[in-house]
Amino acid sequence: NSFCTLLARLIAMSARLSLPHSQQRHSNVAVVRMSRGSKRIEIACYKNKVLAFRQGAETDISEVVQIDRVFSSVARGEFASAIEIRHVIGEDVSEAEAIMRILKQGDVQIASGERTFSQEELLRDVCTIVAQKIVHPVTKRNYDSVFIEETLKAMGVNLRLDQPAKRNAIHAVKEICSRQFIPAARAKMRVRVGTDMNEIVDLEPVVVAESDQSVTVDIEPEHFRELMDRGSAAGWSVEVLDYAVCETSVGDASAFALASAGVSKRAKREARRQQAAAAKTIDSDG
């Protein structure tokens, strides 16, 4: 009887699973779980939709949750009782409210193969963003994203799968620029401001062009919010022309090439040093 009941539940579950048009399937189901003590409750979701929901990019819960039931075990197809839900959540809630609570606060269970895929995909996206945001302080040219990837790995910068690529990239840019593992500076922003230089001189802008009505300057990204606040208060315009100014002329690229080559060697030396230190730690523990 128990086997027949389980089979019926699995058949019912599979019949109700639907794949949204925007869903890219990497595996059949991702489990989001909450637990308290020895009790746990779970929901079945589309793996690559959970993060989008938590970031606010996806608002339709039917695009995230595969079946609108709470399970004590998704793998066994066992639904959670009201008592189990109350025990884990800590209060009496409806099943729909429990699903929302688990979706927002639960732990996403990802298989090792999928986690590796997600990490590699996230790393590529982060490196692309970082490569656009930083420049060599002398040549003012961008680094290649592949070189940025090598640098991040050598620095041991950890990315968080529960955060979007943009937020991880901001963290990576701060790490690279503060630690100076490679010669790097945050690329400046180019803005056109509808006022004269006297209003913004304390923000240390670099003048690109100036007229009677406006001034075009390059500023540090951390000054942009202050510039916007001043413009809003005083009533003058602030127009972003370029979010990351870099040198694009053909010119002599030897300085950048030499710097990159030197940094690449340094990155490799640092990576070898860290590997040796890790091996020594393992040997001492053994």
Side-chain angles (χ1 to χ4, degrees):
N1 290 336
S2 60
F3 175 79
C4 292
T5 302
L6 174 59
L7 183 60
R9 286 176 175 173
L10 290 175
I11 292 173
M13 178 180 173
S14 62
R16 296 180 62 182
L17 294 181
S18 59
L19 187 66
H21 295 298
S22 60
Q23 168 69 22
Q24 297 179 356
R25 186 187 292 276
H26 292 294
S27 65
N28 184 41
V29 64
V31 176
V32 185
R33 175 184 301 162
M34 285 184 71
S35 59
R36 173 176 290 184
S38 60
K39 296 291 185 181
R40 70 184 186 191
I41 53 177
E42 305 173 337
I43 57 175
C45 300
Y46 300 109
K47 187 266 296 184
N48 54 319
K49 283 290 185 175
V50 176
L51 183 58
F53 179 84
R54 291 180 173 179
Q55 294 168 0
E58 180 60 73
T59 58
D60 185 356
I61 195 170
S62 64
E63 293 278 312
V64 183
V65 179
Q66 295 203 24
I67 181 170
D68 54 350
R69 292 296 304 273
V70 177
F71 295 82
S72 59
S73 174
V74 170
R76 294 193 297 269
E78 296 175 355
F79 298 128
S81 66
I83 296 175
E84 290 175 313
I85 294 174
R86 183 172 63 250
H87 176 81
V88 175
I89 298 294
E91 57 182 319
D92 286 318
V93 295
S94 67
E95 192 162 24
E97 290 173 326
I99 289 173
M100 188 64 69
R101 191 82 62 90
I102 297 168
L103 188 56
K104 290 180 178 179
Q105 302 176 8
D107 298 322
V108 183
Q109 310 301 307
I110 302 177
S112 59
E114 292 174 349
R115 182 174 295 276
T116 300
F117 174 84
S118 298
Q119 288 173 334
E120 292 175 351
E121 188 176 41
L122 178 63
L123 179 60
R124 286 194 297 269
D125 292 343
V126 168
C127 290
T128 299
I129 297 172
V130 173
Q132 297 169 350
K133 297 294 185 184
I134 66 172
V135 294
H136 190 283
V138 176
T139 65
K140 305 300 181 185
R141 299 192 182 196
N142 295 111
Y143 286 107
D144 183 83
S145 61
V146 176
F147 180 72
I148 294 296
E149 181 176 343
E150 178 184 335
T151 301
L152 291 178
K153 288 179 178 178
M155 290 176 64
V157 175
N158 295 318
L159 304 182
R160 295 187 55 177
L161 285 174
D162 61 340
Q163 293 186 353
K166 185 175 181 180
R167 186 172 298 178
N168 275 289
I170 292 173
H171 170 69
V173 167
K174 290 180 179 178
E175 286 290 302
I176 292 174
C177 293
S178 63
R179 292 168 59 179
Q180 285 297 299
F181 190 83
I182 61 174
R186 180 75 186 271
K188 293 186 176 182
M189 297 178 65
R190 180 162 295 174
V191 295
R192 182 184 292 122
V193 186
T195 186
D196 57 57
M197 277 292 295
N198 294 330
E199 298 290 340
I200 59 173
V201 66
D202 59 314
L203 300 181
E204 301 179 350
V206 177
V207 179
V208 177
E210 195 169 3
S211 67
D212 294 337
Q213 292 79 29
S214 65
V215 58
T216 300
V217 297
D218 291 345
I219 63 169
E220 297 293 342
E222 57 264 29
H223 293 157
F224 179 68
R225 177 59 60 187
E226 172 66 20
L227 183 64
M228 288 291 292
D229 291 343
R230 291 187 190 182
S232 178
W236 33 265
S237 62
V238 177
E239 179 186 359
V240 178
L241 303 179
D242 195 339
Y243 283 96
V245 179
C246 63
E247 177 60 51
T248 57
S249 60
V250 177
D252 180 15
S254 59
F256 174 76
L258 287 173
S260 297
V263 171
S264 181
K265 291 178 181 178
R266 177 182 174 184
K268 291 177 181 177
R269 287 198 302 269
E270 179 64 16
R272 286 196 295 268
R273 186 191 67 77
Q274 291 181 2
Q275 289 172 356
K280 185 179 295 183
T281 300
I282 293 172
D283 290 342
S284 62
D285 292 342

